[in-house]
Structure formats: structure tokens, C-alpha cells
Amino acid sequence: MAKIGKAAAKERIDFLKKELERQNYNYYVLNQPAITDFEFDLLMGELQGLEKLYPEFATEDSPTRHVGSDLSGAGSDFVQVPHRYPMLSLGNTYAREELYEFDNRIRKAVSTPYSFSCELKFDGTAICLTYRDGRLLRALTRGDGTKGDDVTRNVVNIPAIPRQLHGEGIPEEFEIRGEIYMPYAAFDRLNAARTEAELEPFANPRNAASGSLKLQNPAEMRTRGLDCVLYHLLGENLPFKTHIEALEAARSWGLPISEYSRHAGTIEEAVAYIDEWDTRRKTLPFATDGIVIKVNELELQRQLGFTAKSPRWATAWKFKPEQALTPLLSIDYQVGRTGAVTPVANLEPVQLSGTVVKRASLHNKDQMDLLDIHIGDYVYVEKGGEIIPKITGVELSKRPADARRPEFPACCPDCGTPLVRDEDEARHYCPNRESCPVQIKGRFIHFAGRKAMDILAGEATIEALYNKGYIHTLPDLYTLTREQLVSLDGWQDKSADNFLASLQASRSVPFERVLYALGIRHIGEQTAKMLARHFGSIDALAAASREELLQIEDIGEIVADSILAYFASEAGRDTVRRLREAGLQMAVSEDAQQRLSDTLAGKTVVISGNFSISREAMKGLIEAHGGKNAGSVSGKTAWLLAGEKAGPEKLRKAEKLGIPVIDEAQFYQIIGKE
Ligand code: IVH
């Protein structure tokens, strides 16, 4: 690093500290990183370098000396619990030589032979599990490294994490740390649903995982498809000599341990592992952002110890994200069914991770301003496991003289109505809900969709019906006549019959799907389901006050206001009235009301003792969530639900058969009831 003057160094250090804290906050608390990991690591590296040159400016509170904090702010109801052992981060490197330096430092510090454990660096969010007497006691996030958020009630909903361990030599109490992550498939599903509901999609699987882990609603969290892998066992007087041996034992107790790790005798072997996984990782169904190399011998780990922020016995090799550099040709402004305008970049086609990329999302105007993007610029595109590649930067050195700043449209590209921007949202909207053609057609396409009313009408049919002037508002669909249908290009009796039959069938589509089909802004499939269950009918929902809505978990102000606006509008009320007249389900049917969820489907629960509700009510609850209640514990029992004064006979039998025993609170966590 070039030596710079003292005053300039001080100024730069102050800037870097502030900037890194700000980015830590974006990343860990908001789950919305504004820069790439690579850029973050560059800034961090620069700060480390300057602090080395000018130790007088290296303060205790520098981001180089503490980990970024994920602690939830005020308003969260997660309890903060101190970590028994601090939860640290890892030193990282993108340079080969530094791996050899890591090896040299170890060789100098220890006097006995050593070897390495090479592991994938899972790109998720760190978790610390405590097991006592073989049962999961607590799950904490990393937090600020010294204390974390207690997310136990959410973690019990992750199938990979066992609540009860089985096997030999399980220590009375131990901690095991690892990563909660979201596989690509679950991530794509979640973002598709969020985009549908016009919610901001998560930037990458890591943010989706940590956002999901912090959800206040365990039932919602269960639908997110999170997975877990564990890689660090800690405790007092554990009998293991090596890290790998400890993890093998943990695996034998039923804990999820990576199958991709490898023992390496030398740093060269570790480097070979890195080279191998640099390509192989692209075939994995989940995101990795590097390789972790750890000294395998636990005694040597103890000798090497820690710096303020990370262990000296481990380091992380970070993969550089795959990028391509290509010119930006133009920007399209697409209007969605709820009027949201999304800028989409048209690029000079370019190869990236095996596919040709032509288009990339620019999200919103803020993002465009942040990048200071110009038409004609060379832009960096990246794929981080997402379906749609994104633009992460602009190569200013290649900016052509005639590059021009794009003009974000002031009016709707489809109907010409001036766009508006909601205060809390980064998006621009066309407010002309009633007569903007794209929005109208978009509403019909959404309404007819498979997850909504499942009506046999694709984009082309909707387009044709709209152009003929047959449909304008949703209920018009139910007034269509056979004559009108056969008048469409290429339609015959048969297609008209099929269409009318699907319309008829849609009259028995359950209320939760009708609610989703209405296309109320921000009401996705999950939210619709939840609201349907909570209110039971459209009338009850329409009558709900803002306060009532806000009391529901995971309903924030934006969603509440959107519901209120819908039912306050003439158009909204009219749509509901006419759809009701057409015979659609506007309330939860009795059957569905009794069935609250399928969480316990295929599971048998035995209950014993007294609960805060009657035993009959408890049995009802088990059945309402799809489970079966049985009188005695057997090999088929999923859980023994033990209340106060539970029968000792049943408890003994459960213990003998290794059936998990849960209390009332844990049961409620499982079924997602408060
Ligand atoms: S070991 C004392 N092993 O990467 C440090 N960490 O950038 C213990 N991570 O905080 C961490 N995969 O959240 C370790 N195989 C692995 C890992 C891993 C992912 C995460 C972890 C850590 C972060 C550091």
C-alpha cells in the first residue's frame, strides 16, 4: 500500500470506518446489501492496511475489530442472549500468496505436525445451537458476536435441525455452530412469489435466509424451505482430538454435517481442494462464497488462539463473483399489473456462467441513481444464483463521450398518466388503476392464473377479450356469453365450452385463492392464506380497522394500508359485490375452517397431563393441523406432548423408544400458534 500523509490517512480511515459500519447495517440488519461482498472486502482490506501503517488511529471500535451485527432493533420481540463463547468471523483472502502466508504463520507458531480440514463456505447466516441432555435447548444468531437474537421458535421449523439427538457419547451440554441457508430452488420460489405480490425480491439466498430466520411468524417461516449445515463443535472437556473427529461424532448423533469436506495433509492439498471447488461449486444446489481452511488438530487450535475478530487457526478463501462486462444499449420501463414501473436494462448479449445474458433488472430509480448509470456505459453484470442477473456496477473508465443519463419516465409508458412515488417505497407507480390497459390486462391474467381462479384464459385470450371491449373489470368475465366467445379469432364451440366450464369450476375455488386473485397490492399467496384464516370472510376483512390489521403478525403498514385502500375504493367494493353475485366464495368454507394447516399431516401425537387448554381442545388442535391423536406411545409416535403431571409411564416409554417429548410451548411453536 502506498504511504499517504498522516492527515490524509486519518481522514480516509474515518471515512472507511463510517462506510463499513453503514454497509454492515445494510447487510446484517436490513438484509439489503448495497455493495457486493467483494467491494466490501476491498474497503475492509484498505482499512486494515491503513490501521497497520498508522496504529495510532486504530481504535477499539473499528469495524476491523468487531463483527457486523445482525441484532434486531427496537420493535422486535426476539430476546437477546449472551454467547457462551464469542461468535467470531473469519479472516479472508482472494490472493494465493496469502494462503501460503497463513500456512507459514502456523508453522512458526506450533511445534508439532498439523493438517487441515477443507470445507465449503456456505453462504447463509450463522447460527449457534445449544444441546443439553441430547435436546435442542436454544438457537442464537451471531448478533454482535457477544450476544445474539434467540430464534429458537423459528429454528424448530427447519427440518434439518433435530430437536432430539440419538447415539453414543453425546456430551451433557455442547454448542454447535453452522449456517442456515436457503437452497436456490427455495430462493427462486420465494422470490417468484414476492415478485407476484410486488414485494421487493431478496437480493440473494443469503439475505433471504437471514430475513426468513428473523420472521416474527414461525408458520410463514416454515414455508421458506430453509436448510442447515453445522461446522463447529464447542464445549467444556469434549473428548475429541481433531475437528474432523468431532464433526463425525456430531454426524452420528443426527446433526447435519457437510458431506463435501476433505482432510488435507498440506497447504498444497488444500489449494488443490480450492481449485477443484472453484468450478464444482457451480453444480451445487445452494450458494457458496468460498472455501474455509481450518487447522484440524484441536490442541493446536487452542495454541494458535484468536485475534479480536477471528481465529488464527482458520482462514477463508473467497471466490470472486462471476462477472461480465457489456455495454448497456437501452432501458425499458415495464408496467406491472399493480402499476409498478420496473426499469429493465437491454444489454449487448454476453456470456455469463454458461448462459447468454441480454437483459438485467435495474430494480428502481434509486438503484439507477446509485449506479449513476448512463446509456452506452459498460456495465458489470452478475448472477448470484438469481434467475434475473443484476447490474452491480459501471466501468467509468470506459464511459463513451456521448453517454447520456437516462430519463426516468414522468408518465406511464402505457397510458400516459403521470407516475407517482409512494413515500416508503422505492418504486414508481402508475396510479391509473382503473383504465391503464396494461394494468387491466395484468389484473385479468393474475385473476385467471393457476394459483388464483384457474380459468382457461392465457395472455392472448385476455388480450382478445379486452380488445373486443368485452371485459374491463374482473366480474365482467362471469357475464361473457358463448356468442361473444365464439366471435374471437380461432375460437370454436369446443374452446368456448372449455372456457365456460373453467369459469363454472372457479365458483368453488376456496376463499383464500379468491382473495389472492383480487390482486390487492402486496397481498401474495401466503398473505392471502393468512388473512383468510384470520378473518374467515371478506366482510370481516373489509371491516377491519388499521389497528386490527397491524396487530396481525407480518402485516406491516404498507400491507395494511393497501388492504384499507382497496376496500375504501369504489372500484374495489364494486368488484367484490359483483363477484359475490357471480357466486364466488367470499368466506372460508366450514371444512377449511376446521383444517388450520397440514403441519402435522402423517404425524401421530400422544398427549399426557394437563395443559392451559382442555385435553379435548388440545386433541382438536392436533387434528385441525392435520395430525392424529393416539392414546399410547409406540414406535409410530412423532411426539409425546407432555403437560403438567404427565404420566410417568408414558414418559418412560417415550424415552425408551427415543420419541421426542415436547411441552405445550414447543407444540405451539411447531404448529405456528402464538
Ligand atoms: S468456521 C470461529 N466454517 O462464514 C469461526 N464458517 O465469513 C468459525 N461460514 O462467520 C467459522 N461456512 O458464518 C466456518 N465451513 C465453514 C463456514 C463458515 C460458512 C460462515 C460463518 C462465518 C463466516 C465468516
Side-chain angles (χ1 to χ4, degrees):
M1 179 174 293
K3 201 145 174 139
I4 56 173
K6 202 162 170 166
K10 169 91 173 62
E11 202 174 306
R12 183 71 186 158
I13 286 175
D14 287 344
F15 167 79
L16 288 169
K17 281 204 264 194
K18 267 210 204 94
E19 184 59 19
L20 286 162
E21 293 296 0
R22 196 168 70 88
Q23 299 302 348
N24 265 332
Y25 182 78
N26 285 339
Y27 187 93
Y28 288 108
V29 181
L30 302 183
N31 282 313
Q32 269 170 0
I35 59 176
T36 64
D37 288 3
F38 183 61
E39 289 164 324
F40 181 90
D41 292 340
L42 279 180
L43 295 176
M44 184 65 90
E46 186 186 348
L47 181 57
Q48 271 161 350
L50 284 171
E51 287 181 344
K52 226 185 217 161
L53 281 176
Y54 298 96
E56 60 271 40
F57 300 138
T59 54
E60 273 303 312
D61 66 351
S62 169
T64 56
R65 299 182 61 88
H66 67 84
V67 302
S69 171
D70 68 39
L71 290 173
S72 303
S76 126
D77 56 2
F78 291 117
V79 179
Q80 292 179 3
V81 178
H83 285 297
R84 182 151 180 203
Y85 314 96
M87 238 174 134
L88 302 173
S89 173
L90 286 172
N92 66 44
T93 174
Y94 293 86
R96 282 295 151 105
E97 317 82 75
E98 292 181 19
L99 290 172
Y100 295 103
E101 283 166 22
F102 168 70
D103 185 48
N104 283 335
R105 277 199 303 277
I106 297 166
R107 181 160 321 112
K108 278 190 200 137
V110 305
S111 47
T112 50
Y114 58 92
S115 62
F116 298 108
S117 171
C118 309
E119 305 169 11
L120 300 183
K121 189 166 175 332
F122 292 83
D123 200 7
T125 180
I127 192 75
C128 174
L129 307 175
T130 303
Y131 283 86
R132 184 184 287 163
D133 299 326
R135 285 166 56 78
L136 176 65
L137 182 71
R138 193 185 298 120
L140 301 179
T141 67
R142 184 166 77 173
D144 63 3
T146 61
K147 55 184 182 311
D149 279 337
D150 185 333
V151 289
T152 317
R153 65 181 166 148
N154 277 350
V155 156
V156 295
N157 288 302
I158 300 174
I161 298 179
R163 262 160 281 170
Q164 176 76 48
L165 305 180
H166 300 282
E168 301 292 304
I170 302 174
E172 217 169 272
E173 179 161 339
F174 67 93
E175 281 188 16
I176 189 156
R177 295 176 175 177
E179 208 80 359
I180 288 181
Y181 64 94
M182 186 176 285
Y184 289 135
F187 174 72
D188 290 346
R189 226 182 308 129
L190 174 64
N191 265 358
R194 286 179 75 87
T195 311
E196 261 285 322
E198 307 242 349
L199 292 168
E200 200 62 52
F202 283 106
N204 52 48
R206 196 212 75 83
N207 294 113
S210 60
S212 302
L213 191 62
K214 293 288 183 83
L215 278 173
Q216 303 283 335
N217 177 353
E220 160 78 12
M221 135 92 212
R222 213 173 16 238
T223 66
R224 297 264 171 118
L226 293 177
D227 210 333
C228 177
V229 63
L230 301 168
Y231 45 65
H232 192 195
L233 189 76
L234 291 132
E236 300 300 313
N237 306 317
L238 299 180
F240 310 109
K241 291 228 160 1
T242 69
H243 170 72
I244 293 176
E245 190 194 327
L247 290 188
E248 283 309 324
R251 189 202 305 279
S252 77
W253 306 328
L255 289 161
I257 306 297
S258 169
E259 46 185 295
Y260 307 106
S261 305
R262 185 181 304 159
H263 184 233
T266 61
I267 195 72
E268 286 75 20
E269 277 177 55
V271 170
Y273 179 88
I274 289 177
D275 287 338
E276 178 183 332
W277 280 100
D278 195 27
T279 11
R280 256 185 95 184
R281 71 185 184 107
K282 289 167 201 158
T283 63
L284 293 169
F286 50 80
T288 50
D289 60 340
I291 298 293
V292 184
I293 311 283
K294 301 172 182 171
V295 170
N296 186 32
E297 293 70 25
L298 296 175
E299 173 49 33
L300 300 184
Q301 286 191 1
R302 270 186 288 273
Q303 284 177 27
L304 287 159
F306 299 87
T307 70
K309 211 174 128 174
S310 50
R312 291 199 186 86
W313 43 263
T315 193
W317 167 266
K318 298 275 284 264
F319 298 127
K320 272 206 195 100
E322 265 191 288
Q323 284 189 333
L325 191 61
T326 189
L328 168 68
L329 304 177
S330 63
I331 298 176
D332 288 340
Y333 298 89
Q334 291 181 344
V335 188
R337 95 184 132 78
T338 58
V341 179
T342 309
V344 179
N346 295 310
L347 307 168
E348 180 81 47
V350 64
Q351 279 281 344
L352 180 63
S353 333
T355 54
V356 178
V357 176
K358 291 182 212 141
R359 283 160 77 78
S361 171
L362 275 164
H363 299 295
N364 51 46
K365 180 165 188 308
D366 284 356
Q367 180 70 10
M368 288 167 56
D369 291 347
L370 196 75
L371 292 168
D372 183 30
I373 205 162
H374 285 42
I375 309 283
D377 267 342
Y378 274 78
V379 295
Y380 288 100
V381 262
E382 246 175 61
K383 273 205 290 196
E386 297 90 305
I387 330 169
I388 311 161
K390 59 177 181 238
I391 294 183
T392 55
V394 170
E395 183 50 62
L396 289 176
S397 69
K398 284 183 168 246
R399 175 166 288 171
D402 61 349
R404 54 186 174 85
R405 184 173 273 135
E407 192 83 45
F408 200 93
C411 295
C412 173
D414 203 53
C415 71
T417 306
L419 298 180
V420 293
R421 180 180 169 150
D422 287 359
E423 243 175 68
D424 299 335
E425 298 175 63
R427 294 182 181 215
H428 286 73
Y429 285 91
C430 166
N432 182 15
R433 277 188 66 76
E434 250 104 289
S435 29
C436 175
V438 222
Q439 290 190 59
I440 296 176
K441 286 181 272 183
R443 272 204 292 280
F444 279 103
I445 292 165
H446 171 77
F447 184 83
R450 262 202 296 146
K451 289 175 179 172
M453 305 308 288
D454 199 12
I455 295 167
L456 279 182
E459 262 178 66
T461 305
I462 298 292
E463 182 91 36
L465 289 168
Y466 177 79
N467 289 343
K468 285 259 187 190
Y470 295 158
I471 56 172
H472 193 77
T473 61
L474 295 176
D476 296 343
L477 276 176
Y478 293 89
T479 64
L480 287 171
T481 62
R482 162 182 279 277
E483 290 68 53
Q484 286 176 323
L485 292 170
V486 291
S487 79
L488 300 180
D489 261 357
W491 278 58
Q492 278 134 18
D493 283 353
K494 180 94 183 118
S495 26
D497 283 345
N498 288 343
F499 178 86
L500 289 169
S502 75
L503 261 192
Q504 178 54 25
S506 77
R507 292 186 162 96
S508 40
V509 160
F511 170 54
E512 58 187 46
R513 275 169 54 193
V514 176
L515 184 56
Y516 169 65
L518 292 178
I520 302 172
R521 248 171 88 185
H522 304 303
I523 309 297
E525 239 188 310
Q526 289 302 329
T527 311
K529 222 179 243 176
M530 204 249 301
L531 289 170
R533 269 188 212 144
H534 189 97
F535 288 100
S537 74
I538 198 115
D539 296 332
L541 174 63
S545 67
R546 192 163 193 272
E547 289 64 44
E548 261 174 273
L549 290 168
L550 286 175
Q551 263 166 25
I552 306 173
E553 267 191 291
D554 287 335
I555 297 282
E557 302 198 346
I558 293 180
V559 178
D561 288 339
S562 164
I563 295 171
L564 291 171
Y566 185 86
F567 290 106
S569 74
E570 184 79 38
R573 281 205 309 267
D574 197 57
T575 299
V576 170
R577 181 182 57 76
R578 289 178 55 218
L579 287 177
R580 191 199 307 264
E581 280 167 14
L584 267 53
Q585 303 295 317
M586 290 296 173
V588 176
S589 77
E590 262 171 37
D591 272 10
Q593 225 153 17
Q594 279 157 11
R595 180 54 90 79
L596 296 172
S597 83
D598 291 325
T599 316
L600 303 178
K603 297 234 175 350
T604 305
V605 185
V606 174
I607 64 175
S608 177
N610 303 320
F611 304 97
S612 66
I613 57 174
S614 74
R615 287 168 59 88
E616 278 321 302
M618 191 55 99
K619 285 182 194 166
L621 211 49
I622 293 169
E623 276 154 22
H625 286 277
K628 253 182 35 201
N629 173 243
S632 60
V633 176
S634 75
K636 291 199 194 109
T637 309
W639 293 287
L640 172 60
L641 169 51
E644 247 176 75
K645 303 207 187 100
E649 198 54 70
K650 282 191 178 138
L651 288 170
R652 253 198 305 277
K653 183 119 187 244
E655 173 149 13
K656 199 169 134 226
L657 295 175
I659 307 293
V661 181
I662 54 174
D663 63 18
E664 188 171 348
Q666 286 169 312
F667 177 68
Y668 291 155
Q669 280 174 2
I670 294 170
I671 61 173
K673 175 180 178 318
E674 287 314 295

